[in-house]
Amino acid sequence: MAQPHDVLWSVARERLLLLGGPAALLLQVAHPLVAEAVAAHSDYHAEPAHRLLTTLQATLTVTFGDTTQARQAARRVGRRHATVTGAITHPVGGLPAGTPYSAADPDLALWVHATLVWTAMAVHDRYARPLPTAERDAYWRQAKPFARLFGVGDAALPPDWAGFVDYWQQAVDALQVTPAAHRIASDVLRPRLSPPLPGVAHLARAVTSDLLPAVIRDGYRLPCRRLHRTEARTLQAAVRFLRPHVPARYAYWPHYFQAVQRIAATTL
Protein backbone atom coordinates (compact mmCIF):
# COMPACT_ATOMS: atom_id res chain seq x y z
CA MET A 1 0.00 0.00 0.00
CA ALA A 2 1.00 3.62 -0.52
CA GLN A 3 2.74 5.59 2.25
CA PRO A 4 2.62 9.27 3.35
CA HIS A 5 5.78 10.17 1.39
CA ASP A 6 4.41 8.68 -1.86
CA VAL A 7 3.26 10.99 -4.64
CA LEU A 8 -0.04 9.11 -4.73
CA TRP A 9 -0.88 10.30 -1.22
CA SER A 10 0.35 13.84 -1.84
CA VAL A 11 -2.07 14.12 -4.76
CA ALA A 12 -5.02 12.11 -3.44
CA ARG A 13 -5.18 13.95 -0.12
CA GLU A 14 -6.16 17.21 -1.86
CA ARG A 15 -9.81 18.19 -1.52
CA LEU A 16 -9.43 20.30 -4.65
CA LEU A 17 -9.50 17.09 -6.72
CA LEU A 18 -13.27 17.26 -6.26
CA LEU A 19 -13.21 19.93 -8.98
CA GLY A 20 -12.55 17.12 -11.45
CA GLY A 21 -15.50 14.98 -10.36
CA PRO A 22 -17.90 16.02 -13.14
CA ALA A 23 -15.17 15.67 -15.79
CA ALA A 24 -14.33 12.15 -14.59
CA LEU A 25 -17.99 11.14 -14.70
CA LEU A 26 -18.48 12.57 -18.19
CA LEU A 27 -15.36 10.76 -19.39
CA GLN A 28 -16.61 7.48 -17.93
CA VAL A 29 -19.99 7.66 -19.66
CA ALA A 30 -18.41 8.79 -22.94
CA HIS A 31 -17.73 5.06 -23.29
CA PRO A 32 -21.01 3.83 -24.84
CA LEU A 33 -21.20 0.65 -22.75
CA VAL A 34 -20.57 2.54 -19.50
CA ALA A 35 -23.25 5.06 -20.46
CA GLU A 36 -25.80 2.34 -21.19
CA ALA A 37 -24.98 0.52 -17.95
CA VAL A 38 -25.28 3.71 -15.89
CA ALA A 39 -28.50 4.73 -17.62
CA ALA A 40 -30.06 1.32 -16.99
CA HIS A 41 -28.87 0.79 -13.42
CA SER A 42 -28.62 4.27 -11.90
CA ASP A 43 -31.03 7.13 -11.39
CA TYR A 44 -28.97 10.16 -12.25
CA HIS A 45 -32.01 12.39 -12.57
CA ALA A 46 -33.07 11.78 -8.96
CA GLU A 47 -29.55 11.56 -7.48
CA PRO A 48 -27.07 13.22 -9.86
CA ALA A 49 -24.28 13.33 -7.24
CA HIS A 50 -24.70 9.75 -5.98
CA ARG A 51 -22.14 8.11 -8.28
CA LEU A 52 -19.62 10.87 -7.64
CA LEU A 53 -19.94 10.56 -3.86
CA THR A 54 -19.84 6.76 -3.79
CA THR A 55 -16.83 6.71 -6.11
CA LEU A 56 -15.11 9.34 -3.97
CA GLN A 57 -15.71 7.41 -0.75
CA ALA A 58 -14.47 4.13 -2.24
CA THR A 59 -11.38 5.81 -3.70
CA LEU A 60 -10.46 7.50 -0.42
CA THR A 61 -10.96 4.30 1.55
CA VAL A 62 -8.87 2.23 -0.85
CA THR A 63 -6.14 4.90 -0.98
CA PHE A 64 -5.83 5.73 2.71
CA GLY A 65 -7.28 2.68 4.43
CA ASP A 66 -5.25 -0.25 5.69
CA THR A 67 -5.19 -3.50 3.74
CA THR A 68 -8.38 -4.80 5.35
CA GLN A 69 -10.30 -1.56 4.78
CA ALA A 70 -9.15 -1.37 1.16
CA ARG A 71 -10.21 -4.93 0.44
CA GLN A 72 -13.56 -4.43 2.15
CA ALA A 73 -14.20 -1.32 0.07
CA ALA A 74 -13.26 -3.20 -3.09
CA ARG A 75 -15.61 -6.05 -2.17
CA ARG A 76 -18.48 -3.60 -1.59
CA VAL A 77 -17.91 -2.10 -5.01
CA GLY A 78 -17.64 -5.58 -6.46
CA ARG A 79 -21.00 -6.59 -4.99
CA ARG A 80 -22.64 -3.52 -6.49
CA HIS A 81 -21.00 -4.13 -9.84
CA ALA A 82 -22.10 -7.77 -9.91
CA THR A 83 -25.68 -6.63 -10.45
CA VAL A 84 -24.81 -4.23 -13.27
CA THR A 85 -25.10 -6.47 -16.30
CA GLY A 86 -27.21 -6.41 -19.42
CA ALA A 87 -27.14 -5.76 -23.14
CA ILE A 88 -27.75 -2.67 -25.21
CA THR A 89 -31.13 -2.66 -26.91
CA HIS A 90 -30.18 -0.53 -29.90
CA PRO A 91 -26.98 0.27 -31.80
CA VAL A 92 -24.83 2.87 -30.01
CA GLY A 93 -21.34 4.13 -30.66
CA GLY A 94 -20.76 1.66 -33.47
CA LEU A 95 -21.82 -1.28 -31.28
CA PRO A 96 -24.70 -3.48 -32.49
CA ALA A 97 -27.86 -4.09 -30.49
CA GLY A 98 -27.40 -7.00 -28.12
CA THR A 99 -23.80 -6.15 -27.22
CA PRO A 100 -23.42 -7.19 -23.58
CA TYR A 101 -22.02 -5.02 -20.82
CA SER A 102 -20.91 -5.74 -17.28
CA ALA A 103 -19.50 -3.43 -14.62
CA ALA A 104 -17.15 -6.30 -13.75
CA ASP A 105 -15.64 -6.28 -17.26
CA PRO A 106 -11.88 -5.69 -16.74
CA ASP A 107 -11.69 -3.45 -19.81
CA LEU A 108 -14.46 -1.20 -18.52
CA ALA A 109 -12.94 -1.25 -15.01
CA LEU A 110 -9.61 -0.15 -16.50
CA TRP A 111 -11.32 2.72 -18.34
CA VAL A 112 -13.06 3.95 -15.17
CA HIS A 113 -9.78 3.71 -13.24
CA ALA A 114 -7.98 5.58 -16.02
CA THR A 115 -10.49 8.45 -15.91
CA LEU A 116 -9.78 8.94 -12.20
CA VAL A 117 -6.01 8.91 -12.75
CA TRP A 118 -6.14 11.27 -15.72
CA THR A 119 -8.55 13.69 -14.05
CA ALA A 120 -6.47 13.79 -10.86
CA MET A 121 -3.42 14.72 -12.91
CA ALA A 122 -5.33 17.37 -14.89
CA VAL A 123 -6.73 19.02 -11.75
CA HIS A 124 -3.40 18.90 -9.92
CA ASP A 125 -1.61 20.42 -12.92
CA ARG A 126 -4.04 23.33 -13.13
CA TYR A 127 -4.93 24.04 -9.51
CA ALA A 128 -1.85 22.93 -7.54
CA ARG A 129 1.30 22.40 -9.61
CA PRO A 130 2.26 20.44 -12.73
CA LEU A 131 3.93 17.15 -11.85
CA PRO A 132 7.17 16.25 -13.66
CA THR A 133 7.30 13.02 -15.63
CA ALA A 134 9.12 11.12 -12.89
CA GLU A 135 6.37 11.91 -10.37
CA ARG A 136 3.67 11.01 -12.88
CA ASP A 137 5.38 7.69 -13.46
CA ALA A 138 5.54 7.08 -9.70
CA TYR A 139 1.88 8.07 -9.33
CA TRP A 140 0.82 5.55 -11.98
CA ARG A 141 2.93 2.76 -10.46
CA GLN A 142 1.47 3.45 -7.01
CA ALA A 143 -2.10 3.56 -8.39
CA LYS A 144 -1.86 0.23 -10.23
CA PRO A 145 -2.58 -1.96 -7.16
CA PHE A 146 -5.96 -0.25 -6.80
CA ALA A 147 -6.89 -1.22 -10.35
CA ARG A 148 -6.00 -4.82 -9.48
CA LEU A 149 -8.39 -4.67 -6.50
CA PHE A 150 -11.21 -4.00 -8.97
CA GLY A 151 -10.39 -6.89 -11.26
CA VAL A 152 -7.95 -5.37 -13.75
CA GLY A 153 -5.19 -7.88 -14.47
CA ASP A 154 -1.51 -7.00 -14.75
CA ALA A 155 -1.47 -7.77 -18.47
CA ALA A 156 -4.04 -5.02 -19.11
CA LEU A 157 -2.26 -2.36 -17.06
CA PRO A 158 0.20 -0.10 -18.91
CA PRO A 159 3.67 -0.58 -17.43
CA ASP A 160 4.51 3.09 -16.90
CA TRP A 161 3.21 6.62 -17.43
CA ALA A 162 4.22 6.69 -21.09
CA GLY A 163 2.26 3.48 -21.59
CA PHE A 164 -0.70 4.98 -19.76
CA VAL A 165 -0.64 8.03 -22.05
CA ASP A 166 -0.63 5.76 -25.11
CA TYR A 167 -3.57 3.79 -23.70
CA TRP A 168 -5.40 7.01 -22.85
CA GLN A 169 -5.06 8.54 -26.29
CA GLN A 170 -6.22 5.38 -28.04
CA ALA A 171 -9.17 5.00 -25.66
CA VAL A 172 -10.27 8.63 -26.03
CA ASP A 173 -10.12 8.35 -29.82
CA ALA A 174 -12.55 5.41 -29.64
CA LEU A 175 -15.13 7.16 -27.42
CA GLN A 176 -18.47 8.43 -28.61
CA VAL A 177 -20.84 10.64 -26.65
CA THR A 178 -24.23 8.97 -27.04
CA PRO A 179 -27.72 10.28 -26.21
CA ALA A 180 -27.57 8.35 -22.92
CA ALA A 181 -24.33 10.14 -22.03
CA HIS A 182 -25.91 13.49 -22.90
CA ARG A 183 -28.84 12.82 -20.56
CA ILE A 184 -26.49 11.89 -17.72
CA ALA A 185 -24.33 14.96 -18.37
CA SER A 186 -27.34 17.27 -18.19
CA ASP A 187 -27.95 16.13 -14.61
CA VAL A 188 -24.29 16.03 -13.56
CA LEU A 189 -23.69 19.61 -14.73
CA ARG A 190 -26.70 21.04 -12.94
CA PRO A 191 -25.80 20.72 -9.24
CA ARG A 192 -28.82 20.87 -6.96
CA LEU A 193 -27.77 22.87 -3.96
CA SER A 194 -29.86 23.89 -1.00
CA PRO A 195 -29.92 26.80 -0.73
CA PRO A 196 -29.16 27.46 -4.42
CA LEU A 197 -25.87 29.24 -5.07
CA PRO A 198 -26.05 31.49 -8.13
CA GLY A 199 -23.32 30.89 -10.67
CA VAL A 200 -22.19 27.49 -9.35
CA ALA A 201 -23.62 25.52 -12.28
CA HIS A 202 -22.12 27.96 -14.77
CA LEU A 203 -18.69 27.74 -13.11
CA ALA A 204 -18.89 23.93 -12.92
CA ARG A 205 -19.50 23.79 -16.67
CA ALA A 206 -16.56 26.12 -17.34
CA VAL A 207 -14.22 24.05 -15.13
CA THR A 208 -15.40 20.77 -16.64
CA SER A 209 -15.13 22.10 -20.18
CA ASP A 210 -11.56 23.18 -19.49
CA LEU A 211 -10.57 19.79 -18.05
CA LEU A 212 -12.03 17.55 -20.75
CA PRO A 213 -10.10 16.55 -23.88
CA ALA A 214 -11.28 18.71 -26.78
CA VAL A 215 -12.92 15.85 -28.67
CA ILE A 216 -15.00 14.85 -25.63
CA ARG A 217 -15.86 18.46 -24.76
CA ASP A 218 -17.11 18.94 -28.31
CA GLY A 219 -19.07 15.69 -28.12
CA TYR A 220 -20.97 17.03 -25.11
CA ARG A 221 -21.31 20.41 -26.85
CA LEU A 222 -19.82 22.15 -23.83
CA PRO A 223 -18.92 25.82 -24.31
CA CYS A 224 -15.31 26.75 -24.85
CA ARG A 225 -15.58 30.41 -25.77
CA ARG A 226 -13.05 32.97 -24.60
CA LEU A 227 -15.26 33.93 -21.66
CA HIS A 228 -15.38 30.35 -20.36
CA ARG A 229 -11.64 29.87 -20.78
CA THR A 230 -11.05 33.14 -18.92
CA GLU A 231 -13.32 32.04 -16.07
CA ALA A 232 -11.48 28.73 -15.74
CA ARG A 233 -8.07 30.42 -15.81
CA THR A 234 -9.18 33.00 -13.23
CA LEU A 235 -10.33 30.25 -10.86
CA GLN A 236 -7.05 28.39 -11.37
CA ALA A 237 -5.03 31.49 -10.53
CA ALA A 238 -7.14 32.18 -7.45
CA VAL A 239 -6.85 28.61 -6.15
CA ARG A 240 -3.10 28.49 -6.76
CA PHE A 241 -2.68 31.76 -4.86
CA LEU A 242 -4.91 30.78 -1.93
CA ARG A 243 -3.98 27.11 -1.59
CA PRO A 244 -0.65 27.60 0.28
CA HIS A 245 -2.49 29.70 2.87
CA VAL A 246 -5.29 27.20 3.57
CA PRO A 247 -4.72 25.16 6.76
CA ALA A 248 -4.04 21.50 6.09
CA ARG A 249 -7.16 20.41 8.01
CA TYR A 250 -9.26 22.18 5.37
CA ALA A 251 -7.10 21.45 2.32
CA TYR A 252 -6.77 17.67 2.88
CA TRP A 253 -9.31 14.88 3.30
CA PRO A 254 -9.68 13.55 6.87
CA HIS A 255 -8.92 10.05 5.54
CA TYR A 256 -5.32 11.21 5.01
CA PHE A 257 -4.85 12.35 8.60
CA GLN A 258 -6.38 9.11 9.92
CA ALA A 259 -3.96 7.10 7.80
CA VAL A 260 -0.95 9.13 8.99
CA GLN A 261 -1.99 8.62 12.62
CA ARG A 262 -2.50 4.88 12.06
CA ILE A 263 0.95 4.47 10.53
CA ALA A 264 2.59 6.57 13.26
CA ALA A 265 0.95 4.40 15.94
CA THR A 266 2.33 1.21 14.36
CA THR A 267 5.88 2.56 14.35
CA LEU A 268 6.01 3.52 18.04
Side-chain angles (χ1 to χ4, degrees):
M1 302 300 290
Q3 297 294 320
H5 61 274
D6 289 338
V7 64
L8 179 70
W9 274 30
S10 71
V11 172
R13 68 188 179 182
E14 297 277 356
R15 289 182 187 263
L16 60 81
L17 292 188
L18 198 57
L19 290 168
L25 291 174
L26 266 58
L27 281 164
Q28 291 168 19
V29 299
H31 191 300
L33 290 182
V34 176
E36 293 299 309
V38 170
H41 296 271
S42 300
D43 189 354
Y44 257 105
H45 184 70
E47 297 180 295
H50 179 70
R51 183 180 176 88
L52 173 59
L53 294 176
T54 55
T55 300
L56 173 63
Q57 183 59 43
T59 301
L60 289 171
T61 302
V62 169
T63 303
F64 295 113
D66 59 25
T67 301
T68 299
Q69 291 169 331
R71 288 175 177 170
Q72 288 175 344
R75 283 196 292 269
R76 285 194 295 270
V77 173
R79 287 194 294 269
R80 289 197 298 268
H81 284 179
T83 66
V84 181
T85 60
I88 59 177
T89 59
H90 53 280
V92 291
L95 300 171
T99 300
Y101 62 78
S102 169
D105 182 334
D107 290 335
L108 296 185
L110 175 57
W111 170 243
V112 171
H113 179 67
T115 65
L116 300 177
V117 170
W118 186 89
T119 306
M121 290 292 97
V123 171
H124 201 274
D125 283 352
R126 287 166 171 79
Y127 295 94
R129 66 176 178 89
L131 293 179
T133 300
E135 289 189 43
R136 293 174 189 271
D137 198 53
Y139 182 91
W140 172 245
R141 290 198 313 272
Q142 292 159 15
K144 286 166 69 172
F146 305 131
R148 297 186 190 106
L149 280 175
F150 295 102
V152 182
D154 284 339
L157 288 168
D160 51 25
W161 181 254
F164 173 81
V165 171
D166 288 341
Y167 161 81
W168 179 261
Q169 292 173 340
Q170 293 176 29
V172 168
D173 289 343
L175 298 176
Q176 183 172 338
V177 180
T178 64
H182 274 289
R183 290 192 295 271
I184 294 167
S186 68
D187 288 320
V188 169
L189 293 173
R190 290 185 176 88
R192 300 170 191 171
L193 303 175
S194 183
L197 297 177
V200 170
H202 176 83
L203 187 58
R205 291 174 70 87
V207 169
T208 302
S209 176
D210 177 66
L211 288 171
L212 288 173
V215 65
I216 306 304
R217 180 183 63 231
D218 294 343
Y220 282 110
R221 298 191 291 274
L222 285 172
C224 191
R225 294 185 289 274
R226 180 179 295 179
L227 172 64
H228 300 94
R229 293 195 298 271
T230 299
E231 290 171 338
R233 297 297 182 270
T234 301
L235 179 63
Q236 291 166 22
V239 171
R240 281 197 176 192
F241 174 77
L242 293 172
R243 180 177 167 274
H245 306 289
V246 176
R249 65 181 180 276
Y250 299 123
Y252 303 155
W253 294 107
H255 306 66
Y256 166 74
F257 296 110
Q258 293 165 8
V260 171
Q261 291 172 359
R262 183 187 68 246
I263 291 174
T266 61
T267 59
L268 294 178

